[in-house]
Amino acid sequence: MDAETPGTGEAPAIEARGLTRNFGKLVAVDHVDLTIPRARIYGFLGPNGSGKSTTIRMLCGLLEPSAGTVRVLGHEMPRDAERMRAKLGYMTQRFSLWDDLTVHENLNFMARIFGLAGATRDARIAELAAEFDLEPLLPQRAGTLSGGQRQRLALAAATLHRPELLLLDEPTSAVDPRSRRDFWESLFVLVGRGTTILVSTHYMDEAERCHRLAILDRGRLVAEGVPKQLMAGIPAIVVEIEAEEVASAREALQEDAAVKSIAQLGTRLHALLDPQTVDAAARVRGRLEATGVDAQVAIVHASLEDVFVAATGFRRDARAPAAVEA
Amino acid sequence: MFGRILAVTLKELRQLSRDRLSFGMIVGIPLMQMLLFGYAINFDVRGIRTAVVDEADTSYSRALVAELGATGVVRFLAPSASVDELRRRLNAGEISVGVYIPADFERRRLQTDRASVQLLVDGSEPLIDTVARGLAAVPLPQRPGAVAPRTSPFEIRTEYNPERRTAVQIVPALIGVILNMTMVIFTAAAIVRERERGNLELLITTPIRSGELMAGKLLPYVLIGLIQTTLVLVVGAWIFDVPVNGGLLHLYAAAGLFIAATLTLGLLISTVTKTQFQAFQLAFFTMLPSILLSGFMFPFDGMPKPAQWIAQVLPLTHFVEMIRGIVLRGAPITDLGTQAAKLAVFLTVALVIATLRFRKRLD
C-alpha cells in the first residue's frame, strides 16, 4: 500500500495545476493541484458541495475549467477530450443507464458505443456478467434492480472497454454496507490489473481504503496524502474522553482555549488540542475534574475524521462529511 | 460510425416500443386528428335552422321555399306569423336564418330594381353569413317555357375539388399538421429526457460523436413520420374519399423533406431547454402559429403582411402548399421547387444552429 512509488514508471494518470471552476460568482473549485499516480485508488473526500463532482467533471472533459491546466493520461483537457474518451470509464453519481432496458441490453448498448465488435462484445459481456454476479439478472429491466445491483451493473458498463482510468463519482452513496464492501473488493481487483481509479466519497471508511487521498472543503484542497500519514501527521493532539455525561464534558471543555474542536462519537468525545499543549491529557482531566464530570481520558491516534476536522481549520460548522450525510 | 448510429437507433426503437403511451400516440394522434378535422371542422354547412314568414302565400312563393329546402343547406322549422316573431326567434337563437316573403312578392318579382325576398341572418355565428349569400343566389322559380333571366353573371367552377368538400382540402394538409405536432415534440422530448435522467452525462463521456448521437436518435422518428403520413393518406382515402392525384414518390419525397425540417426544429428546441416540460412548452409555442398561419385553415393571402412574414419562417406553410399541390393538383415535386428550397433553407439553418449549440459538455 505504498502510494509514493507508482506501479509504473510512466507519467502520472492525472496532473492538474491551479484547477479552478466558477459558476457565476460561486467558486466551486478553487486552484486545486493534483498529481494522481497510475494503478492506484485515489480518493476525494469532502462533504456535499465541496467541489468533488465539479473536479471529476472537469477531469473527464464534461466541464471546461475557468482556469488552470489538466492532463489526463497524457492528454491535454478539455482540448483532447475526445481522444481520451476511449480510455476512460465514468460512473455518474446518479444511476444513468436506462431503466427501461434490461441489464443485457444496457451492457450490449454501451459495448456497441465503445466500439466492441460482435464476438468480442458477447464474450466481454459474459465475462463481466460472471465477474459482477449479474448473470441471473441479465434479462431483468435495470429499473427493477436494487441499489447494489445497479451499482454492479454501472461498474460493469464502465469497465466494458477495459479503461485505463475509472472516474467514480460517489459510487456507493445509495448502497447498503455489504454491497459497499463487495464493490470495493471489485475496485481492488481492477487496480490489480493496472487500472487507475479516482473515487469520490463522503464515507470515512471508504476514504481510509484509498492509496492516496485528497480532502476537499468548499472548493479547496485542504489536505493530501496517504491516509495513514495524514492521520499520523495531524496538526493536533487527539484526546478521547469517555463519559456518562457527554454533554457536560463537552461544555466544560469548550471553555478551554487549547481545545480547537470537539466531536462526539457515541458516548465518546474526540477533542483536538493545539499541538503545543503541554501534557494535554492531564490538562483535559483537570478541566473535567474541576467541573465534577467523571470521565476516562486518553491520548489516541487520530482517525480520518479528526484529520478532516483539522484540515478544515477546526471550524465550528466543519462537521465531518459522513456526519453530514448520516 | 454506423455501428454506433445503429446502436442508438435500436435502443430508441426498443425504448419506444416499451413506452406504450408514446407508442399509442404515434397512431392515436393522427387518427384522432383525422376524425376531428374531417368531421367536426366542416365548412360545408348543412341543415341550418330556418323559419319562413310567407305573407304572399302564392304558388311562386311556395315554390321558392321548396327550392331553398331542396338545397339541403336550410332545414325549415315551423313558419312564423310575422317578421317580429321571426326576429324574436332569431334573437333567442332558435333559428339562424329567417326568410321573409312580403305580401307584394309577386309585384316585386317582376321589378328588377327591388329585392323580392328578405333573408334575416344571425351574424354572430361564423360562416352563416357566407352561406346566406349563397342562398341568395338560388334562382327564383320560373313558369314553364319562360326564358330564365340570368340571376348572376358569374359561373363558379371549383377546380380539383368539384364537390367542394372540406375534407379534400383539410386531409392532405393535415399530414403536415400531424407531423409538425408529433415530430417536434417527440424529438425534443427524446433528447431532453436523457438530459433530465442523467443518461446524457454518461453518453457524452463515451467516444460517441455528437453527430452519431443525433443521427441515431432522429432516424427512428423519420420512420415514424413516414408511417404517420401513410396512415393519414390511407384513412383519408378510406373514410373521406380523398384522392391522391400526384405521384406517391413525389409525395413521400416532400414528406421526407418536411419530416427532416420538423425533426431539426425539435432538435433545436432540445438544445435550448433543460426539462421535458420546457420542451413541451416551446414545442406548443411554435405549433399554434404553424397551424393558424400556414394556410392550413385560413387562406394565406388574406393575412396581414407581418403574419405572412412569420408564416414564411414556419416549415408547415411550405409543406401545406407542396402537399396540396401533389395530392390534389397532381403536380410533380419539380413544380414545387420554390417551396422545397425554402424548406431546405430552414433545415440547413436550424441544423447548423442546433449542431453549434449541442456540444459534448455540461456547461
Side-chain angles (χ1 to χ4, degrees):
Chain A
M1 284 265 199
D2 183 9
E4 295 304 298
T5 51
T8 60
E10 295 174 75
I14 298 174
E15 259 192 303
R17 292 289 167 266
L19 193 59
T20 301
R21 172 70 200 205
N22 308 318
F23 291 108
K25 279 187 180 168
L26 175 83
V27 185
V29 175
D30 193 359
H31 293 90
V32 168
D33 294 335
L34 289 169
T35 305
I36 299 179
R38 289 187 191 244
R40 288 287 181 270
I41 300 184
Y42 192 94
F44 276 179
L45 176 69
N48 292 338
S50 58
K52 302 190 301 282
S53 291
T54 307
T55 306
I56 289 182
R57 285 173 174 177
M58 283 192 282
L59 295 179
C60 61
L62 284 178
L63 290 174
E64 197 169 354
S66 306
T69 57
V70 195
R71 287 181 76 81
V72 179
L73 300 173
H75 297 285
E76 184 85 32
M77 298 294 284
R79 195 194 65 200
D80 295 336
E82 289 303 316
R83 264 182 283 171
M84 195 269 301
R85 302 235 192 265
K87 304 182 196 169
L88 171 80
Y90 176 44
M91 235 177 102
T92 52
Q93 202 165 339
R94 271 164 79 186
F95 178 73
S96 49
L97 290 165
W98 290 265
D99 283 347
D100 47 357
L101 296 182
T102 67
V103 169
H104 184 266
E105 285 162 353
N106 268 304
L107 289 174
N108 193 48
F109 173 70
M110 289 306 285
R112 280 168 182 266
I113 294 301
F114 280 112
L116 301 187
T120 326
R121 186 169 67 229
D122 295 340
R124 186 71 183 135
I125 290 172
E127 193 183 324
L128 285 168
E131 187 178 335
F132 290 101
D133 206 10
L134 290 168
E135 273 164 334
L137 303 172
L138 283 176
Q140 199 173 321
R141 300 243 178 121
T144 65
L145 299 179
S146 73
Q149 291 168 336
R150 281 169 179 236
Q151 210 60 44
R152 299 200 312 262
L153 171 58
L155 187 60
T159 51
L160 273 165
H161 56 301
R162 303 179 199 276
E164 288 177 40
L165 173 66
L166 260 181
L167 300 180
L168 312 174
D169 192 359
E170 291 191 12
T172 55
S173 49
V175 172
D176 62 88
R178 164 87 202 273
S179 301
R180 271 171 56 195
R181 210 171 54 232
D182 292 347
F183 185 81
W184 275 81
E185 291 307 314
S186 307
L187 296 190
F188 281 111
V189 170
L190 286 165
V191 166
R193 293 179 196 149
T195 313
T196 307
I197 298 178
L198 172 59
V199 57
S200 74
T201 183
H202 49 235
Y203 291 115
M204 294 298 164
D205 62 322
E206 288 190 352
E208 223 163 311
R209 287 164 168 246
C210 298
H211 295 109
R212 269 189 100 83
L213 193 61
I215 297 179
L216 292 170
D217 180 48
R218 296 189 294 187
R220 308 184 88 124
L221 184 71
V222 291
E224 205 267 353
V226 178
K228 263 189 184 159
Q229 292 173 357
L230 284 173
M231 290 187 272
I234 185 170
I237 299 168
V238 185
V239 177
E240 191 172 84
I241 301 119
E242 205 157 359
E244 286 295 313
E245 298 159 75
V246 177
S248 325
R250 190 183 191 124
E251 217 168 286
L253 292 176
Q254 256 160 0
E255 312 286 301
D256 193 335
V259 175
K260 299 256 191 173
S261 87
I262 308 165
Q264 186 169 349
L265 311 147
T267 58
R268 291 169 297 146
L269 289 178
H270 266 202
L272 301 187
L273 275 73
D274 191 294
Q276 311 299 325
T277 316
V278 184
D279 204 357
R283 183 179 177 133
V284 168
R285 213 172 282 129
R287 272 265 164 197
L288 293 172
E289 277 167 12
T291 46
V293 178
D294 184 26
Q296 304 283 319
V297 178
I299 292 179
V300 295
H301 287 297
S303 68
L304 206 50
E305 191 160 346
D306 299 324
V307 172
F308 181 83
V309 172
T312 52
F314 307 103
R315 287 202 320 273
R316 292 244 176 255
D317 62 321
R319 288 185 296 158
V324 173
E325 278 304 300
Chain B
M1 176 186 160
F2 290 111
R4 279 200 280 263
I5 295 177
L6 187 68
V8 176
T9 300
L10 289 177
K11 176 186 79 71
E12 290 294 316
L13 284 174
R14 189 168 273 146
Q15 287 182 293
L16 200 63
S17 72
R18 286 181 189 165
D19 180 356
R20 287 208 198 126
L21 192 65
S22 291
F23 202 65
M25 298 263 271
I26 294 169
V27 177
I29 290 180
L31 279 185
M32 192 200 71
Q33 294 217 352
M34 284 284 286
L35 298 177
L36 205 74
F37 282 98
Y39 282 122
I41 301 188
N42 201 339
F43 301 134
D44 342 313
V45 186
R46 309 221 146 241
I48 297 173
R49 287 157 299 132
T50 307
V52 180
V53 177
D54 188 357
E55 287 179 352
D57 197 23
T58 64
S59 62
Y60 285 113
S61 70
R62 285 193 294 272
L64 173 69
V65 171
E67 289 270 343
L68 289 176
T71 61
V73 174
V74 293
R75 178 166 58 89
F76 287 113
L77 303 181
S80 293
S82 67
V83 178
D84 286 340
E85 196 196 327
L86 210 55
R87 284 190 196 285
R88 192 187 51 73
R89 291 173 76 179
L90 201 63
N91 203 22
E94 189 189 326
I95 55 169
S96 298
V97 173
V99 181
Y100 172 55
I101 305 174
D104 58 351
F105 171 66
E106 290 292 327
R107 205 180 66 225
R108 282 169 179 253
R109 197 166 65 85
L110 300 173
Q111 296 169 335
T112 47
D113 57 334
R114 286 169 74 192
S116 33
V117 182
Q118 193 178 32
L119 289 179
L120 291 103
V121 180
D122 177 3
S124 66
E125 280 184 66
L127 296 172
I128 299 288
D129 184 60
T130 321
V131 171
R133 281 172 205 287
L135 277 181
V138 170
L140 294 178
Q142 297 300 321
R143 203 168 270 136
V147 179
R150 293 287 294 263
T151 47
S152 165
F154 299 105
E155 183 198 20
I156 302 169
R157 283 183 56 202
T158 309
E159 297 280 356
Y160 318 119
N161 185 12
E163 299 144 87
R164 286 185 243 180
R165 286 184 300 122
T166 314
V168 171
Q169 300 159 345
I170 292 282
V171 170
L174 204 55
I175 295 175
V177 173
I178 289 166
L179 287 177
N180 200 66
M181 196 172 283
T182 48
M183 293 293 105
V184 174
I185 289 184
F186 277 17
T187 45
I191 294 163
V192 177
R193 184 172 50 228
E194 297 218 320
R195 197 194 309 277
E196 239 179 351
R197 293 187 184 166
N199 307 129
L200 208 59
E201 184 177 348
L202 178 67
L203 270 181
I204 58 184
T205 56
T206 69
I208 195 167
R209 289 170 200 282
S210 310
E212 293 168 343
L213 184 60
M214 294 293 113
K217 281 194 152 289
L218 296 188
L219 270 177
Y221 297 103
V222 173
L223 186 71
I224 287 165
L226 293 174
I227 291 174
Q228 289 187 326
T229 307
T230 311
L231 189 70
V232 174
L233 286 174
V234 169
V235 175
W238 179 43
I239 298 184
F240 299 109
D241 286 323
V242 176
V244 179
N245 296 327
L248 276 180
L249 207 63
H250 297 279
L251 193 152
Y252 279 102
L257 185 60
F258 180 63
I259 288 168
T262 46
L263 288 178
T264 329
L265 181 60
L267 192 61
L268 194 59
I269 288 175
S270 79
T271 63
V272 295
T273 52
K274 287 206 155 55
T275 63
Q276 288 190 73
F277 184 63
Q278 288 177 342
F280 282 128
Q281 282 180 313
L282 208 55
F284 274 109
F285 179 77
T286 64
M287 197 103 64
L288 207 60
S290 290
I291 291 175
L292 292 179
L293 303 181
S294 62
F296 164 64
M297 290 180 79
F298 309 110
F300 186 70
D301 295 327
M303 292 174 202
K305 279 279 174 242
Q308 291 192 9
W309 295 330
I310 296 171
Q312 285 297 315
V313 183
L314 302 165
L316 186 60
T317 310
H318 311 300
F319 181 69
V320 164
E321 284 179 39
M322 287 176 86
I323 197 78
R324 280 184 177 151
I326 294 167
V327 173
L328 302 178
R329 303 200 295 272
I333 197 165
T334 42
D335 284 7
L336 301 158
T338 320
Q339 288 88 343
K342 285 177 183 170
L343 272 185
V345 168
F346 177 90
L347 173 65
T348 315
V349 172
L351 195 60
V352 168
I353 299 174
T355 316
L356 287 178
R357 284 200 56 93
F358 185 88
R359 290 173 309 161
K360 284 179 70 178
R361 291 247 192 84
L362 289 176
D363 51 355

